[in-house]
Amino acid sequence: MQDGRAPRIKNRAPAAVQITAEQLLRDAQERQESQFRAPKQRVEDFEELHEYRGRKREEFEKRIRQTRSSIKEWLQYANWEASQGEYARARSVFERALDVDPRSVQLWLSYTEMELKGRNVQHARNLFDRAVTLLPRVDQLWYKYVYLEELLGNVPGARQVFERWMAWEPDDKAWQAYIKLEQRYNELDRASAIYERWVAVRPEPRVWVKWGKFEEERGKLDKAREVFQTALEFFGDDEEQIEKAQAVFNAFAKMETRLKEYERARVIYKFALSRLPRSKSGALYAAYTKFEKQHGTRSTLESTVLGKRRIQYEEEVAHDGRNYDVWFDYARLEEGALRDLREEGATGEEEERATNRVREVYERAVAQVPPGGEKRHWRRYIFLWLYYALFEEIETKDYERARQIYETAIRVVPHKQFTFAKLWIMFARFEVRRLNLTAARKILGTAIGMCPKEALFKGYIQLEFDLREFDRVRTLYEKYIEWDPTNSAAWIKYAELETQLEDLARVRAIYELGISQSALSMPELLWKAYIDFETEEGERDKARALYERLVKISGHVKVWISYATFEAEPIPVPRAMRPEAEDDEEAEIPVVDGDAVRARQVFDRAYKDLKSKGLKHERVVLLEIWKAFEEKYGTAEDVVRVQGMMPITSKRRVVDKDTGQTVEDWDIVFADDERESNPTTFKFLQMAHAWKASQAKSGGASATALSGFAAGLGGSGQGSSDGARARVDDDVASSDED
């Protein structure tokens, strides 16, 4: 405590008597000192009262001299005089204050309130008259004045005050207050006249709507219709005025609906919607849709929903005209509406209007040409032209217009930068459907000459193939190959065509010409197709020759595996040896069995070839397939032989050239490689594996695969599992504790 630190509390147990928060607050309240209050003065006689009043007046006069513009001081002075019953003096103070600030609303209200408390009604009337004359734009003064007259039962006087007020054309609340006054005293004709004056002063839709509802509520239905019709005549047929008058149309239609005049309501809605743009009549369409859901038929409801969706699409395309997905949906909507009209048996005029709407949508859509010269911007746009042409061809049967659409679309696309094969092909097929083959060929020929493209060649070839013009198809394939001789798919398709035509000499010539090309996109596909062709024809010698050529060129492990599999599997007999079965197309074709010996020789050649190239991983893949082959076609000794060629995975320590540190690396070690390169190490590894195998047998455990190292010692690894690998460190002698 001496150095200002808090005392150390030794006993932290709770006190026996607990103090609550409520007790603390009560003690604090009781100990507060009472505030100073001025002593009360008792006036015993008139002399003391006169002295007290004089003293107070001197204080007030002194304060208003100091702060003459403070209305608060004037009000306190005047209210004090009124509390003393000195109304004359109070009026004098108020008048003096009004001389200071005659536009103070608070001052006028306090003045009139003082007179009313003193029951000086005439004085209050005079004050309100002066106030509204001086401040005619202050609604509060008018409301107080009218309330006073109505409170006194002077309805003509209140009406007179309202008339003076209406001369100033106040806001809507004042007009409504005047109307409610007349309604309270059941003067409905007067109220209707006030409505008429109100719309003359402020001809807004909401005022017309209120007047119409008032006439409907009091049972004057003809008058209500007359009001709404007058409103519609007032707004006229101008688009902007009709947009403003949507509330009038809506209220008019709802009134007719309440009166069960549904046809009248429908006519009103359609009249308004026909003169309003779709983008500005969303609320009116919503009301019309609700009306049709409740009182309309299926056809009228669908047409209403259709109009509402049109508005949504118009808003979206107005926001982004190049949003082609919206144009697609919009066009489908209009096409669906046209089809529905045809199903319902619409008149020719209605069908023509619907067709024109579809055309209008397509014309507006194709007018939104994509900016820039990038093809990705045009991919969606070009389908608008295609759908437009198909609509004219299929729905309207206007073939000349469809032809013009295709021609216009072709002129729009910048073919020097990019083109769309689908556009050319669909135009050509359109001409084919019109039985104009010359025009179709001319279109595709122009396309290939102007902007050759793979899809164009394929489309043109397919067209001629469908027409069974095989000479033209051959010519097109030749042009196709001249344009892109590196395309393997083109060579294959050309050869397949000749295969179908059974011109085998041409097939082989095409394949030979194709594989002789110096640069091919995917040569393995062409080689495979050539070999498959010879295999299906039953020409094993020719297919074997192709494999030999291919392994010399490529030497890939997959080629060797395919070669060996080919030798092992059966193939059909040559075509000349097949029996004639013209009537039975599904008759089985005789086959020639494969030669496992030749396949084994191919595997052996492949292994040596890959070994000479130093491809270790490819050798592992080959051995796995070779082993599976021997298990299927060979004997147990053949399987053991292949198993003996399996490698092991060895861990070696090498020095990293970049860091100079010794790192561990895994390597695949083959027994034959080790035997040839390091005979001593190979012998040592054989002994280590043999010792490990004997230890495993003596312990009763299953022997693991010892690969080629153990297989060299009397076949100790014959019982090993398929594909197992033994990982041996380079210092295996020390780790085995031999």
Side-chain angles (χ1 to χ4, degrees), residues 87-111:
Y87 289 102
R89 286 180 175 274
R91 292 189 188 99
S92 176
V93 174
F94 273 118
E95 293 295 338
R96 290 167 60 193
L98 288 173
D99 291 338
V100 174
D101 188 2
R103 296 187 175 276
S104 174
V105 178
Q106 184 182 6
L107 196 58
W108 284 105
L109 293 177
S110 298
Y111 195 180

Side-chain angles (χ1 to χ4, degrees), residues 260-546:
K260 301 188 184 316
E261 296 286 347
Y262 303 126
E263 289 302 323
R264 283 176 174 265
R266 186 174 288 108
V267 169
I268 293 168
Y269 277 124
K270 289 184 176 180
F271 176 81
L273 294 174
S274 63
R275 285 162 175 76
L276 275 177
R278 297 171 182 173
S279 59
K280 297 180 181 179
S281 56
L284 197 59
Y285 253 116
Y288 184 33
T289 305
K290 185 177 180 181
F291 166 78
E292 291 293 353
K293 286 180 180 179
Q294 293 176 347
H295 310 289
T297 61
R298 178 177 175 272
S299 60
T300 56
L301 179 59
E302 288 180 353
S303 63
T304 306
V305 174
L306 187 66
K308 190 174 182 180
R309 290 179 61 188
R310 284 192 184 112
I311 293 175
Q312 296 176 354
Y313 288 136
E314 286 292 343
E315 291 177 353
E316 292 183 13
V317 298
H319 176 69
D320 184 7
R322 292 190 175 91
N323 188 351
Y324 301 119
D325 292 331
V326 177
W327 286 113
F328 288 138
D329 296 338
Y330 198 178
R332 291 193 194 103
L333 175 71
E334 297 294 353
E335 289 184 23
L338 175 60
R339 285 191 290 270
D340 292 341
L341 284 175
R342 289 175 177 172
E343 291 175 0
E344 294 172 2
T347 62
E349 185 179 353
E350 292 177 348
E351 186 175 338
E352 183 65 24
R353 285 201 299 267
T355 304
N356 291 334
R357 278 199 299 269
V358 178
R359 287 172 175 165
E360 179 190 356
V361 171
Y362 274 120
E363 290 292 341
R364 291 169 58 196
V366 297
Q368 302 292 332
V369 181
E374 297 185 20
K375 187 174 181 178
R376 60 189 181 90
H377 295 147
W378 289 69
R379 293 187 187 276
R380 302 290 290 166
Y381 169 75
I382 205 65
F383 277 94
L384 289 171
W385 287 101
L386 299 178
Y387 289 155
Y388 189 11
L390 290 174
F391 166 76
E392 294 292 349
E393 180 185 359
I394 299 172
E395 298 293 339
T396 65
K397 310 296 183 184
D398 191 345
Y399 304 114
E400 187 60 33
R401 189 182 183 93
R403 185 177 289 108
Q404 292 175 1
I405 292 170
Y406 279 120
E407 292 173 352
T408 307
I410 288 174
R411 287 196 299 270
V412 169
V413 177
H415 298 288
K416 292 184 178 180
Q417 301 178 25
F418 54 83
T419 190
F420 291 94
K422 183 177 287 293
L423 178 61
W424 294 98
I425 293 171
M426 289 190 67
F427 190 13
R429 290 195 173 273
F430 164 76
E431 295 293 353
V432 171
R433 289 191 292 272
R434 302 311 307 149
L435 305 179
N436 193 352
L437 298 180
T438 305
R441 290 182 176 123
K442 184 178 180 182
I443 290 167
L444 291 175
T446 304
I448 291 174
M450 183 185 301
C451 43
K453 190 178 179 182
E454 183 178 0
L456 284 172
F457 280 105
K458 289 181 178 179
Y460 198 178
I461 289 169
Q462 186 63 40
L463 175 64
E464 296 292 356
F465 184 82
D466 294 340
L467 296 173
R468 298 299 185 264
E469 295 286 348
F470 299 116
D471 292 335
R472 290 181 178 272
V473 174
R474 286 188 176 113
T475 304
L476 288 172
Y477 269 121
E478 291 172 2
K479 296 291 184 182
Y480 186 8
I481 292 170
E482 288 177 6
W483 175 69
D484 185 10
T486 64
N487 192 342
S488 299
W491 292 99
I492 294 171
K493 290 293 183 181
Y494 191 8
E496 288 177 354
L497 170 70
E498 298 296 346
T499 304
Q500 293 176 2
L501 299 177
E502 297 185 357
D503 194 344
L504 305 184
R506 290 180 67 92
V507 175
R508 291 188 176 93
I510 291 168
Y511 276 126
E512 289 293 338
L513 187 60
I515 61 178
S516 64
Q517 300 297 317
S518 58
L520 283 173
S521 57
M522 298 181 71
E524 64 275 8
L525 296 180
L526 187 58
W527 280 98
K528 184 178 184 302
Y530 194 4
I531 293 171
D532 290 344
F533 164 74
E534 296 292 0
T535 303
E536 291 175 0
E537 292 297 321
E539 300 290 343
R540 188 185 288 273
D541 293 336
K542 292 182 179 180
R544 185 180 296 119
L546 288 175

Side-chain angles (χ1 to χ4, degrees), residues 600 603-608 611 616 619-620 622-624 626-627 630 637-648 668-673 675 706-712 725:
R600 193 174 289 111
F603 275 120
D604 191 52
R605 287 175 55 199
Y607 183 79
K608 292 178 180 179
K611 178 181 176 182
K616 294 184 177 181
R619 288 163 69 186
V620 174
L622 181 68
L623 288 173
E624 293 287 350
W626 192 357
K627 182 181 176 183
E630 295 294 355
E637 291 78 6
D638 295 329
V639 176
V640 171
R641 176 174 172 269
V642 177
Q643 179 67 38
M645 300 169 68
M646 290 291 183
I648 63 171
I668 298 175
V669 180
F670 288 87
D672 50 358
D673 291 347
R675 184 188 301 110
L706 297 181
S707 186
F709 297 97
R725 298 290 182 269

